[in-house]
Amino acid sequence: MNKEVIKGSQNYIPVEIEDYPTTGWQKFKQVVRRSLGKELFVGLWVVLREMLKFNIHTVQYPEEVLPLPSRYRAVHKLLRLLESGNERCIGCGLCEKICIADCIRMETKEENGRKVVSEYSINLGRCIFCGYCAEVCPELAIVHGSRYENASEQRAHFVLKDDMLTPIDFLKEQKEFDGFGAVSPNADKLIKKTPLAY
Amino acid sequence: MDLGIFIFQTLIKILLVLLIFSALAGFTTYIERKVLAFMQRRLGPMYVGPFGLLQILADGIKLFTKEDIIPTNAIKPIFKVAPVILPVSAFVAFTGVPILPDIQIGDTTFQFLIVDSDVGVLFVLGVMAVGMFSPLLAGIASSNKWSLLGGARTAIQLLSFEVVTGLSILAPLMLVGSLNLIDINNYQIEHGWLIWQQPIAFVLFLIAGYAETNRTPFDLLEHEAEVVSGYATEYSGMRWGLFFIGEYVNMYIVSFLVVLIFLGGFGEGTLLDGLCYLAKVLFFIFLFLWTRAAWPHVRPDQLMWLTWKVLMPLAVINIVVTGLLVI
Ligand code: SF4
Ligand code: SF4
């Protein structure tokens, strides 16, 4: 018998492994026990039961899609402000700076005294989907979307600003992002007062 | 009967067997995938046609149009001929199996059996066993390590199971006193199914049948986890397909034989009996798929151990006991 005691805090259950048979007679008894005893027929019964229950787990992929959690990190999106529809990105360049794969590039210019982003691209061929850009963004402008079907005819697809930015007419469908990099719902409770007096 | 009519009838029957059973072999692959899938909580083929029914057609087109690759170092004539042996032997063996009872139309009897021979069982089993040359030659001629291993395992299988097949069936044949499949069938009308008199022989014959057709748990010739695809590793396209047509036709032969010899066959040959006969055969086909879903494979050494040390002594004891009882 396998009497190994597993230490540690987790509740591991050691599998009981019988001693291997050594003599021919023991081997014979093992075969008889396994073939005429329960093991073979239980196996048959289990598969038949599953067939009769017809409890199918297949997801027929292109027609049925499993829901993704909001923290899933797939192809990026650039969001807009919900009320005004203006672009959220303020061109601070933090994402460009933090990106470890060095794959974000942006061009900014001044317009009416404000900094606006004229070009913004992510080279998805190099992006490792680490999520740092979404986490560092002060405006929750660049976030991870849920588009994981990345097959395309050209490498440049999904990468340019126009592809990532929420189109202005679809503004209503944009929801407040609660995924990776967003403030957690109980953030208010977690905040502690800054100790001012030492 | 007029010789011309006889030849004509025989040709028609041969054509029927060939067409029906190559189509059934294809259809069985579909059934197999579905049954295995359901047993594993999957859906199986779903996309081509309703419920994936046209998948067979798609597979057929694929097999026929795939490039036929012959490895440079292979022994070419043998490599090319090997896949043909299995389906040929299987179909030839089928000529000895009565797939339906005789049908009486007016005052002419139409016999479905093509070769009504007095050594029916021997003929069927013998010709079926020739099919084993197919994987053996394919494995040796492919010049591939996996194929060679598969070929070597064929030899093991042949050595182990031909003995048990022969010995296990000997005891019921002693009771019947004839090798003719029709005689065996008629014997059971009077004396009840042979399975009640010969349960051990039934189990042994079934096990040996699984090995003959090289199905799980004895499919060590093409055991994916160990030898890639065994003897079939280097084959592609229709040559590969021929192996599988042969395998599925063999499955049908074994099912027919088991039902004929042990489960009463087609009885007296009425319509109801005929339907029962086919249902019994289909149950055994289902059993092939069922065990495939449930059971693990055995190792070659376990196979030899099982046959030589357990099954063969059992078969011999069975024969001796039956012999004493008959006397
Ligand atoms: S996910 Fe990571 S690698 Fe990709 S763009 Fe953002 S920071 Fe760069
Ligand atoms: S960190 Fe956010 S706001 Fe700053 S440039 Fe990147 S996307 Fe724009």
Side-chain angles (χ1 to χ4, degrees), chain B residues 87-129:
Chain B
V88 164
S89 74
F91 279 117
V92 171
F94 232 124
T95 55
V97 180
I99 47 175
L100 278 178
D102 299 349
I103 292 179
Q104 196 95 34
I105 305 168
D107 40 39
T108 49
T109 6
F110 191 74
Q111 202 184 20
F112 271 94
L113 184 55
I114 300 174
V115 181
D116 189 4
S117 140
D118 279 341
V119 288
V121 181
L122 266 191
F123 173 76
V124 174
L125 287 180
V127 177
M128 231 179 105

Side-chain angles (χ1 to χ4, degrees), chain B residues 16-17 42 65 121 136 140 152 154 159 164 234 236-237 239 248 266 277 313 323:
Chain B
L16 269 181
V17 165
R42 297 181 289 115
T65 51
V121 181
L136 186 63
I140 294 172
T154 321
L159 286 180
V164 180
E234 289 291 355
S236 61
R239 284 188 207 281
Y248 282 96
F266 47 77
Y277 178 51

Side-chain angles (χ1 to χ4, degrees), chain A residues 28 31 40 43-44 47-48 50-51 54-58 60-63, chain B residues 35 37-39 41-43 46-47 286 290-291 293-295 305-306 310:
Chain A
F28 180 74
V31 170
L40 279 186
L44 281 181
V47 288
L48 186 71
E50 290 310 320
M51 181 167 145
F54 208 67
N55 180 15
I56 302 293
H57 291 228
T58 306
Q60 290 180 276
Y61 166 61
E63 284 99 50
Chain B
V35 168
F38 293 156
M39 287 181 169
R41 294 189 185 159
R42 297 181 289 115
L43 274 175
M46 280 304 276
Y47 282 103
F286 178 72
W290 191 4
T291 50
W295 289 352
W305 180 88
L306 183 72
V310 182

Side-chain angles (χ1 to χ4, degrees), chain B residues 30-260:
Chain B
Y30 170 79
I31 299 283
E32 167 159 36
R33 287 158 80 171
K34 277 291 189 194
V35 168
L36 283 186
F38 293 156
M39 287 181 169
Q40 297 159 351
R41 294 189 185 159
R42 297 181 289 115
L43 274 175
M46 280 304 276
Y47 282 103
V48 200
F51 302 105
L53 258 172
L54 294 181
Q55 185 70 42
I56 319 163
L57 196 71
D59 283 348
I61 294 174
K62 187 199 82 175
L63 280 182
F64 272 108
T65 51
K66 221 170 165 185
E67 187 189 353
D68 177 26
I69 300 169
I70 296 172
T72 330
N73 291 331
I75 307 167
K76 292 191 182 64
I78 301 183
F79 184 86
K80 285 181 189 165
V81 141
V84 184
I85 301 175
L86 190 63
V88 164
S89 74
F91 279 117
V92 171
F94 232 124
T95 55
V97 180
I99 47 175
L100 278 178
D102 299 349
I103 292 179
Q104 196 95 34
I105 305 168
D107 40 39
T108 49
T109 6
F110 191 74
Q111 202 184 20
F112 271 94
L113 184 55
I114 300 174
V115 181
D116 189 4
S117 140
D118 279 341
V119 288
V121 181
L122 266 191
F123 173 76
V124 174
L125 287 180
V127 177
M128 231 179 105
V130 172
M132 275 294 191
F133 275 108
S134 189
L136 186 63
L137 293 178
I140 294 172
S142 286
S143 95
N144 174 313
K145 277 184 232 164
W146 308 121
S147 308
L148 193 58
L149 281 175
R153 286 172 172 209
T154 321
I156 289 183
Q157 195 132 320
L158 197 62
L159 286 180
S160 319
F161 268 97
E162 278 316 313
V163 185
V164 180
T165 325
L167 288 182
S168 66
I169 211 158
L170 211 55
L173 291 184
M174 279 157 60
L175 286 181
V176 179
S178 164
L179 285 167
N180 190 326
L181 279 167
I182 306 284
D183 285 351
I184 298 176
N185 177 59
N186 294 341
Y187 173 86
Q188 295 178 74
I189 300 175
E190 291 166 37
H191 298 81
W193 292 3
L194 269 172
I195 181 177
W196 310 126
Q197 299 172 39
Q198 291 288 340
I200 297 177
F202 168 71
V203 173
L204 293 182
F205 186 72
L206 200 59
I207 294 178
Y210 276 62
E212 288 254 6
T213 46
N214 100 67
R215 300 282 306 178
T216 320
F218 304 112
D219 62 341
L220 28 98
L221 313 190
E222 24 143 3
H223 204 215
E224 310 87 63
E226 289 166 11
V227 287
V228 187
S229 191
Y231 65 89
T233 310
E234 289 291 355
Y235 284 90
S236 61
M238 209 47 219
R239 284 188 207 281
W240 182 85
L242 282 176
F243 281 124
F244 283 81
I245 293 181
E247 181 178 325
Y248 282 96
V249 175
N250 270 338
M251 268 165 65
Y252 275 97
I253 299 181
V254 169
S255 307
F256 270 110
L257 277 187
V258 169
V259 172
L260 267 175

Side-chain angles (χ1 to χ4, degrees), chain A residues 76 98-101 103-104 122 127-133 144:
Chain A
H76 304 70
I98 204 170
C99 175
I100 26 180
C103 58
I104 302 184
I122 298 181
C127 171
I128 57 168
F129 298 95
C130 62
Y132 281 9
C133 49
H144 279 292

